[in-house]
Amino acid sequence: MKNVKIAIIGLGTIGNGVLNLLTKERELIKQRQKVDIEIKYAIDKDENKLNHITSKDIVKTKDYKLAINDKEIDIIVELIGGTNFAYTLIKESLENGKNVVTANKALLAEKGLDLFKLGEEKGKTIGFEASVCGGIPIIRTIFDALAGDKIKGIFGIVNGTTNFILTKMYEENISFHTALKEAQKLGFAEADPTLDINGTDAAHKIAILGQIAFNSPIDFGCVYIEGIQHIELEDIKNADELGYILKLLAIAKLDPDNSIEVRVHPCLVSKENLLASVRNEYNAVFLESEYFGNSLYYGKGAGAFPTATAVVGDIIEIAKGKSHTKLKHISNHPVKDIGEIESRYYIRFLVPDKPGVLSKISGVFAENNISIASLIQKERSKEKYVPLILTTHPAREKNIKNALDNIERFDFSKKRGVMIRLIDD
Ligand code: HSE
């Protein structure tokens, strides 16, 4: 039996999930894995958060130094979040010879390179399965299960808050703001959901997955990020008629020119695509790999127990001497500028219903080497301006932007065309 002593730092939702799961299932883990996990410290700067812990065997303190200086402690479980103090804590923990388990995606995506390097130097592991998609074992899958495979693309719905909001907009015909309020009322969105709805949370996750899949460093500043805050119900309804559902996708893809695309943005996904059926707060990651082919991983990406299962899985692996989560950068793929990507596009203009307008628009598309795949004008007899909706064949994004700029400059233009990228199956 391996005995491992841990300190949990940060007793918020996930910290309590880990505490409860380990308290309830300690015997089961012993029987299954021959690992006995003992929580020696519960640490939080707000001591009120420790009052409910009744076990006399757990030291309750706000002083994290007690744990990192305690020779008996094998693993520091960092669950405080944020990128400042958490960075210091993990750095000091590794320097003091401790392994670390964390759910902190922002920290790893933005400042992870230094920490992984330090871990390597010290021969210590940073377990971070919980940082991406909560309970879905996607890091372990890419790292271990597909160790002999080559990932070509990752397409993920990796943010539950935005998926919940988009599902409500689509199914209940409500605006973004109404859906956001509903999500907050039901506890699926934070009081301050900024980082979720503006795509940053998803970008942190895809930056981490991309680094593992392509063994290449990814500068977080190079990740293209667009959120869902400007999505209009009208486009969700138009897309539905065209056979598409709007999702916030996180994409990392290896291109034939050896560059990687790493991007987060709203995307119209064909109803035939498996990701189209992922509803509400659920997450899913679709992998394209050379030998296994296509595979899909689905489950809850947030919440106390789903995330705690990933934390506990990492603790057990470290206790058993596995260090699967050491990030290896053996390649250096440049991140492609968003203007250089190729995609299909949905575009909606609001235009006056009069002679010559369509010909001017299609002329600009032709000049920019963009081929129109479908075109619908919605007739509205009483209104001066009518929606003109078109989809394109694959085109270069910078050409699309150029075309939209040029069309916006025409006298008849009321506002810039809405552009959303399309993905088929
Ligand atoms: N806020 C995230 C989400 C969960 O809505 O999916 C934590 O990463």
Side-chain angles (χ1 to χ4, degrees), residues 107-334:
L107 176 64
L108 296 183
E110 294 180 22
K111 301 183 182 171
L113 294 182
D114 291 354
L115 295 174
F116 285 109
K117 198 160 154 257
L118 181 63
E120 192 84 34
E121 278 164 27
K122 299 284 175 189
K124 294 293 155 194
T125 295
I126 303 174
F128 56 103
E129 183 64 72
S131 66
V132 180
C133 295
I136 305 176
I138 190 65
I139 291 176
R140 195 163 277 116
T141 298
I142 297 175
F143 225 98
D144 283 342
L146 301 181
D149 203 344
K150 286 186 186 152
I151 308 284
K152 296 194 286 191
I154 306 172
F155 300 82
I157 294 173
V158 299
N159 182 271
T161 305
T162 46
N163 203 44
F164 185 88
I165 292 171
L166 293 173
T167 305
K168 291 291 155 201
M169 289 176 76
Y170 175 63
E171 294 182 1
E172 295 176 14
N173 252 327
I174 53 178
S175 72
F176 168 75
H177 290 287
T178 310
L180 171 60
K181 281 204 195 97
E182 193 176 328
Q184 284 171 318
K185 204 169 77 197
L186 296 172
F188 289 112
E190 305 279 346
D192 178 4
T194 312
L195 296 182
D196 292 307
I197 63 173
N198 73 10
T200 306
D201 175 79
H204 286 142
K205 293 168 182 166
I206 198 68
I208 293 172
L209 291 184
Q211 292 190 59
I212 302 168
F214 305 121
N215 304 110
S216 178
I218 292 174
D219 175 354
F220 188 67
C222 296
V223 180
Y224 177 80
I225 312 173
E226 213 181 283
I228 64 162
Q229 61 274 40
H230 304 299
I231 292 296
E232 293 176 54
L233 183 59
E234 184 175 352
D235 296 305
I236 291 182
K237 285 160 119 180
N238 292 338
D240 185 36
E241 287 171 25
L242 293 167
Y244 293 88
I245 294 187
L246 197 136
K247 297 287 178 194
L248 182 70
L249 285 199
I251 299 173
K253 218 174 131 181
L254 182 60
D255 283 342
D257 63 5
N258 216 31
S259 66
I260 48 176
E261 297 178 25
V262 194
R263 47 190 166 103
V264 171
H265 50 71
C267 210
L268 293 175
V269 177
S270 157
K271 289 179 187 173
E272 310 289 310
N273 188 307
L274 290 173
L275 291 174
S277 58
V278 178
R279 297 172 59 245
N280 295 329
E281 76 275 24
Y282 279 84
N283 283 195
V285 180
F286 183 84
L287 296 182
E288 281 177 6
S289 63
E290 191 165 326
Y291 297 97
F292 183 27
N294 294 342
S295 52
L296 183 73
Y297 308 84
Y298 170 89
K300 283 197 177 157
F305 282 131
T307 311
T309 60
V311 170
V312 171
D314 276 349
I315 295 171
I316 294 169
E317 287 218 333
I318 292 174
K320 287 166 75 182
K322 276 191 78 178
S323 59
H324 78 284
T325 45
K326 276 185 185 160
L327 204 53
K328 291 262 184 301
H329 289 145
I330 51 178
S331 322
N332 205 341
H333 299 285

Side-chain angles (χ1 to χ4, degrees), residues 9-10 78-87 89 102-107:
I9 308 190
E78 181 276 305
L79 298 170
I80 54 175
T83 54
N84 294 322
F85 175 62
Y87 178 84
L89 171 64
T102 178
N104 195 330
K105 71 221 100 181
L107 176 64

Side-chain angles (χ1 to χ4, degrees), residues 19 23 26 39 51-60:
L19 184 100
T23 307
R26 184 168 171 181
I39 304 172
N51 290 341
H52 69 285
I53 303 171
T54 51
S55 167
K56 301 230 168 1
D57 301 329
I58 301 177
V59 179
K60 289 166 271 177

